[in-house]
Structures are given as structure tokens and as C-alpha cells.
Amino acid sequence: MKSCGSMLGLRGLRLPPAGILLLLPFLQPRLLPAAPAPHRASYKPVIVVHGLFDSSYSFRHLLEYINETHPGTVVTVLDLFDGRESLRPLWEQVQGFGEAVAPIMAKAPEGVHLICYSQGGLVCRALLSVMDEHNVDSFISLSSPQMGQYGDTDYLKWLFPTSMRSNLYRICYSPWGQEFSICNYWHDPHHDDLYLNASSFLALINGERDHPNATAWRKNFLRVGRLVLIGGPDDGVITPWQSSFFGFYDANETVLEMEEQPVYLRDSFGLKTLLARGAIVRCPMAGISHTAWHSNRTLYEACIEPWLS
């Protein structure tokens, strides 16, 4: 009779002792169902809009930070109106950026986040006003002159070398001047009547001048989930720096904070309503210059990352 080893084709092989064989069923690893993969949160898409004389390349550090802290997030840094093209009238830019963000929003039923830097913050605020069905959760305004600009900067000296802030209104409040983006938000506190009559952009989105779309724009703006305002005293470009928080000069060049501004008191485009529902976050930070806001890691972790749900 053949041995068990022969019948199983094991002739010549050295078998383990019988005691070990008896223990094998208990020594073999048990095959358990694979543990489910840890759930990765699905983050809302992020859309980034650059500022004056910028391009998408300027935001490479911000893109890196988002990828590190929120892996898998779809981030789109819009590459439109770069460099000198950023001087184009802001309504033209609003149209161009609007055509770019609409399909991104359409593919994100749970909403998107906007990070808008400097002049781009005004473009984004206008987008929120004119887009009837936008689904912006967090609008992060990164050192943006939301109440306008009134200061001599290198940008102005390059663009208008023979003008100072005291007489720039002569250019900016003309039809020719309004063809330059920076004049669309030039806000001279000493010539308020001229500003209100001539401003083809800021006075309209602020609701400071009557127009037939004012009610609809306010309703659209209030669709935003959260308004995050970021800026600081060492910016060096935004003047006054409190404009990043909807503060601005009065006729004596004393800064009045947001709650003292007529646009807030009248709730002309929704600021007072947003604040009342707890939807405005203010994040001031010292020690950051204007060109460093989108590359400062500390600022990102404190003021941007918490709102990228």
C-alpha cells in the first residue's frame, strides 16, 4: 500500500512531525475581510482670481498649501487678464471671469470657494452680484480694496507718472480714465460727488448710485455662504489698508470702519445683513506686505484654510 506521502505526490519530501501537523489549522492565518479604506473628505472646488499685473504663476505657493492640507481639492487658478491686460475695464474682466467660473460652478452642486486677491477681490464681488445662480460658499477677499483705493503707489506712478493722488481724480473721473481698471475703484474722499457720478464700477456694486439692477444684485450677493476679509496695516499698497475690511476715509481722511460706512448703515448691497447672520469673518494680520499675502503659510493656516470646507 502506498503511503499518504506517495498518494499526495510528496514522496521524498521530509514531512513535519505529526504533532505539528495537528496544530497547522490553528497556526494558519485567518483571512479577514479587508478593512474599509479611510474616508477622505470631499472638498469643494476652489477658484482663484489674481490681481493687478499678476498671473496664475504667482499663486504656486497657495496651490501647494491647499494640496497639502486638503488633498484632492480641485483648484483652478484662472489664467485670464494677466499682466498689463489686468488694466482692462473691470466690467470686461467680470464678463471674462464669469464665463470661466460658470462651468466650474455647474459641475459642483455642493458649491465652490473663491479666493480673490487684491483687484481680483472686486472682480469677484461683482461676479457675486451679477450671477443669479452662483453657489459660492466662502468668498475669501485677500487684501482687496473693497471700499476703493486712495493712495500713491508704485502702480499708480508707473501708470500715471505726472499725477499724484490729490489730482488723479481729474483723470480717473473722466470717460477716458474709466477705461483703466484702477480708475474703476479710485475713491477720492475729497471729491465724493464726482466719484458717485463718474464711477462706472465701484459706486454701482456698492449700491451708492441708483441703477435698475440694484435689488437683484443685492439678492445675488446675499447668496454667498461666508465673506472672509483679510488684510493688514503693513500691506503698503491698499490705501487705506482698512479698505480690505470695508473701512475708508471720510472727507478729513479719518478712517471710518465698516459699521460706520453709509453702505453698511443703509445695507445697500447686503453687508449689514451678512454681519447680522454671522457670515462675515475678519482676519487682520500685521507684518505682511501686499505681494506676500498668497505665499505666507502662517496667514494661510490662520485665515484661509479653516474656510475651505
Side-chain angles (χ1 to χ4, degrees):
M1 177 181 294
K2 293 183 179 179
S3 68
C4 291
S6 299
M7 295 176 63
L8 295 175
L10 298 176
R11 178 174 294 180
L13 292 180
R14 186 176 181 180
L15 298 177
I20 297 297
L21 290 174
L22 293 174
L23 291 175
L24 279 178
F26 301 98
L27 296 176
Q28 290 174 349
R30 298 181 64 188
L31 297 178
L32 299 176
H39 176 69
R40 173 176 288 182
S42 178
Y43 298 108
K44 296 180 177 71
V46 175
I47 304 170
V48 181
V49 176
H50 67 73
L52 188 66
F53 298 129
D54 265 334
S55 69
S56 59
Y57 180 74
S58 303
F59 296 88
R60 61 195 183 278
H61 298 295
L62 179 62
L63 183 61
E64 175 186 331
Y65 302 156
I66 296 174
N67 286 334
E68 286 181 9
T69 61
H70 290 65
T73 301
V74 177
V75 183
T76 304
V77 184
L78 296 175
D79 200 13
L80 296 170
F81 299 99
D82 293 356
R84 294 190 181 188
E85 286 298 302
S86 64
L87 289 169
R88 301 292 301 167
L90 286 186
W91 283 123
E92 182 179 327
Q93 297 192 44
V94 169
Q95 180 177 349
F97 280 110
E99 292 171 355
V101 304
I104 300 174
M105 291 180 180
K107 295 177 182 178
E110 295 185 0
V112 302
H113 300 304
L114 286 181
I115 302 177
C116 309
Y117 167 64
S118 195
Q119 177 178 279
L122 290 167
V123 172
C124 289
R125 182 151 71 90
L127 281 174
L128 296 184
S129 299
V130 303
M131 295 185 75
D132 295 335
E133 300 296 330
H134 78 75
N135 59 353
V136 174
D137 185 6
S138 294
F139 165 31
I140 301 173
S141 173
L142 186 57
S143 187
S144 175
Q146 292 291 352
M147 276 299 288
Q149 171 77 7
Y150 184 66
D152 292 322
T153 66
D154 291 339
Y155 300 131
L156 282 178
K157 292 173 183 176
W158 176 82
L159 188 58
F160 305 114
T162 62
S163 298
M164 302 295 286
R165 72 172 188 168
S166 60
N167 60 16
L168 189 59
Y169 74 93
R170 300 180 187 276
I171 296 175
C172 280
Y173 296 157
S174 68
W176 175 77
Q178 287 293 301
E179 292 298 311
F180 293 91
S181 64
I182 195 167
C183 285
N184 293 159
Y185 51 94
W186 185 252
H187 192 174
D188 189 328
H190 305 293
H191 298 91
D192 204 51
D193 289 343
L194 288 176
Y195 158 74
L196 291 175
N197 290 323
S199 174
S200 63
F201 183 83
L202 185 61
L204 295 181
I205 66 171
N206 277 356
E208 295 173 288
R209 193 169 81 221
D210 291 336
H211 60 91
N213 297 314
T215 300
W217 287 8
R218 183 180 182 278
K219 180 180 178 181
N220 292 340
F221 182 70
L222 287 172
R223 290 176 60 90
V224 72
R226 184 183 300 105
L227 172 59
V228 181
L229 302 173
I230 302 171
D234 301 307
D235 180 272
V237 171
I238 305 302
T239 312
W241 68 268
Q242 293 91 339
S243 182
S244 296
F245 300 92
F246 288 98
F248 204 72
Y249 295 129
D250 65 9
N252 297 317
E253 296 193 27
T254 299
V255 174
L256 302 180
E257 301 298 336
M258 179 182 77
E259 288 86 346
E260 301 174 278
Q261 293 294 327
V263 296
Y264 174 86
L265 296 171
R266 294 197 306 266
D267 205 18
S268 57
F269 65 94
L271 273 183
K272 191 173 185 179
T273 298
L274 283 182
L275 188 65
R277 76 183 192 206
I280 294 181
V281 177
R282 285 177 271 203
C283 193
M285 187 168 288
I288 301 179
S289 64
H290 189 67
T291 56
W293 288 105
H294 42 63
S295 60
N296 187 290
R297 182 65 183 250
T298 301
L299 180 280
Y300 169 77
E301 292 176 349
C303 301
I304 298 177
E305 192 272 336
W307 312 113
L308 302 181
S309 57

